[in-house]
Amino acid sequence: MTVTSASPEIKIELHKSPVPDADRIQALETPGFGKLFTDHMVLARWTAEKGWHDAKVTPRRPLELDPASAVLHYAQEIFEGMKAYKADDGRILLFRPEENARRFAQSATRMAMPPVPEDLFLKAVEELVRVDKAWIPTGDASLYLRPFMFANEAFLGVRPAQEYVFCIIASPVGAYFKGGAKAVSLWVETEYTRAAAGGTGAAKCGGNYAASLVAQAEATKKGCDQVVFLDAAEHRWVEELGGMNVFFVMNDGSVVTPPLGGTILPGITRASVIVLAEERGLRVEQRPYSFAEWQDDAASGRLVEAFACGTAAVLAGIGLVRHAGGEFLVGDGQTGKLTSELRQQLVSLQKGVTNDEHGWTRLIPT
């Protein structure tokens, strides 16, 4: 069984001992987040001589790495996060996967890696979902897909590698935050930064997340769910959370979100929220927003709600904000009305409950 394309054919190698149906069904009742995995994965390889080749859906198993593999020494690695959803009528849907494919290619270019052709990326995702469709949960859960690529050349010189592996794994997931729809708490980081101008902030690479972990650990110590980063130059301007973009909702009907400029990841959920908010007649301002302004607006009541957004969490209201000088609430400290409505609107689109007038959902034929 193969998929024909200008890109390499995708071969299908089915698992000879998949997880028994009863065990899979039981596991899907409480999938958690990121700890449960399906039977299969995608693998494809790139070399300077052959380009992309040997693409296949294959049983999930450990990867073998030479100790000198470039990714282990110079962190040439990128990834994506996306989801497959099962509609109430049984259809299987992806949400804006073309945008994931394009961002993956942009990340690759920034990290001096060979871009995965969009058709290969999309077909690989679809084939994996088709093969492991029994793992897609129903209800509020979904199948989280993690495409990633890393340098696999065994070489210790400092230059772009000449060999790469493209892989996709899949994980049934429930809510990202344990509290579900409960508003999350944030720690404002003023010492460590996530990204600087000219760096890799706009690329979805593991190094950005590794750099955020010490600040996330500090946020956990402070009793907070997430960390929010300020800019590297002045430690003044709000940028994004450790893994999500952020929005601020004002009492005049305007919505503010930090602008893209190379230091912030161009979130696909972020872009979707902007469209949905503007269709509601709200004025969305993509502009610098300082932490001082955030505090003042919260104190005066001008800021009525705030939320973080990303593929994993969709939309999460922001309630309590802690920082070195104290703490404050956003609004009443609960998830706001607009946040809840936008989240429901987005989830309804993703799951095929409402008509998709934007052409964002992609049906996977089964």
Side-chain angles (χ1 to χ4, degrees):
M1 178 179 179
T2 60
V3 176
T4 58
S5 167
S7 293
E9 293 183 342
I10 301 177
K11 298 179 181 179
I12 307 296
E13 300 175 349
L14 295 179
H15 204 305
K16 294 180 180 179
S17 301
V19 173
D21 290 348
D23 293 345
R24 185 189 66 251
I25 292 170
Q26 182 178 7
L28 289 177
E29 292 178 359
T30 54
F33 196 96
K35 293 184 178 181
L36 178 66
F37 297 95
T38 66
D39 292 307
H40 298 85
M41 64 181 181
V42 168
L43 282 178
R45 298 184 180 276
W46 185 94
T47 63
E49 297 78 21
K50 294 183 178 181
W52 287 107
H53 63 282
D54 195 20
K56 56 189 176 184
V57 175
T58 187
R60 186 178 182 274
R61 59 185 182 274
L63 298 172
E64 284 192 5
L65 287 180
D66 189 286
S69 289
V71 65
L72 301 177
H73 302 272
Y74 308 120
Q76 260 192 300
E77 182 272 349
I78 59 172
F79 68 96
E80 270 300 319
M82 53 198 301
K83 289 178 177 178
Y85 306 87
K86 183 173 288 184
D88 291 341
D89 59 7
R91 289 177 299 151
I92 298 175
L93 303 170
L94 298 173
F95 184 73
R96 307 191 74 176
E98 300 86 355
E99 295 302 316
N100 292 99
R102 291 166 191 155
R103 188 171 65 182
F104 198 68
Q106 291 165 0
S107 295
T109 299
R110 176 61 184 86
M111 301 299 288
M113 304 168 77
V116 174
E118 185 173 323
D119 62 336
L120 174 58
F121 181 100
L122 294 173
K123 288 178 180 178
V125 167
E126 291 186 4
E127 286 300 306
L128 179 60
V129 172
R130 258 194 288 267
V131 169
D132 278 341
K133 62 184 179 182
W135 283 95
I136 305 176
T138 55
D140 293 333
S142 57
L143 183 66
Y144 185 85
L145 301 163
R146 172 53 61 88
F148 63 100
M149 178 167 60
F150 61 90
N152 195 40
E153 183 184 6
F155 178 72
L156 295 182
V158 182
R159 62 159 171 74
Q162 298 295 300
E163 297 179 17
Y164 296 87
V165 172
F166 171 51
C167 184
I168 309 175
I169 55 176
S171 174
V173 297
Y176 184 73
F177 292 112
K178 293 181 180 179
K182 179 183 176 182
V184 298
S185 55
L186 302 183
W187 169 253
V188 180
E189 179 56 53
T190 55
E191 178 180 355
Y192 297 104
T193 55
R194 177 188 173 275
T200 59
K204 200 167 178 65
C205 61
N208 291 343
Y209 294 80
S212 74
L213 296 181
V214 65
Q216 179 59 51
E218 182 65 18
T220 301
K221 289 181 182 178
K222 301 294 183 180
C224 296
D225 299 302
Q226 277 280 316
V227 59
V228 60
F229 289 98
L230 306 181
D231 72 292
E234 301 179 69
H235 296 279
R236 176 185 176 191
W237 305 102
V238 179
E239 294 218 313
E240 64 174 290
L241 277 63
M244 290 174 280
N245 298 118
V246 62
F247 284 79
F248 304 93
V249 183
M250 306 302 172
N251 60 6
D252 63 356
S254 64
V255 179
V256 176
T257 190
L260 303 179
T263 61
I264 294 175
L265 186 73
I268 295 166
T269 306
R270 174 188 182 275
S272 305
V273 165
I274 290 173
V275 171
L276 296 179
E278 289 178 337
E279 288 179 347
R280 287 171 169 261
L282 302 174
R283 184 176 77 256
V284 180
E285 301 176 9
Q286 299 183 58
R287 66 170 177 84
Y289 189 72
S290 71
F291 179 50
E293 191 176 1
W294 186 358
Q295 294 178 82
D296 290 344
D297 287 344
S300 69
R302 180 171 183 263
L303 177 68
V304 293
E305 55 185 290
F307 60 86
C309 68
T311 297
V314 192
L315 268 69
I318 296 170
L320 175 67
V321 181
R322 286 184 173 145
H323 55 98
E327 63 182 42
F328 61 90
L329 291 178
V330 175
D332 62 1
Q334 305 300 315
T335 297
K337 181 175 183 290
L338 179 63
T339 301
S340 297
E341 291 179 353
L342 284 173
R343 187 184 193 283
Q344 185 56 50
Q345 187 177 4
L346 195 57
V347 170
S348 294
L349 282 168
Q350 292 169 338
K351 288 185 169 290
V353 175
T354 55
N355 184 41
D356 176 20
E357 298 179 351
H358 305 87
W360 285 346
T361 54
R362 184 184 182 99
L363 176 67
I364 299 183
T366 57

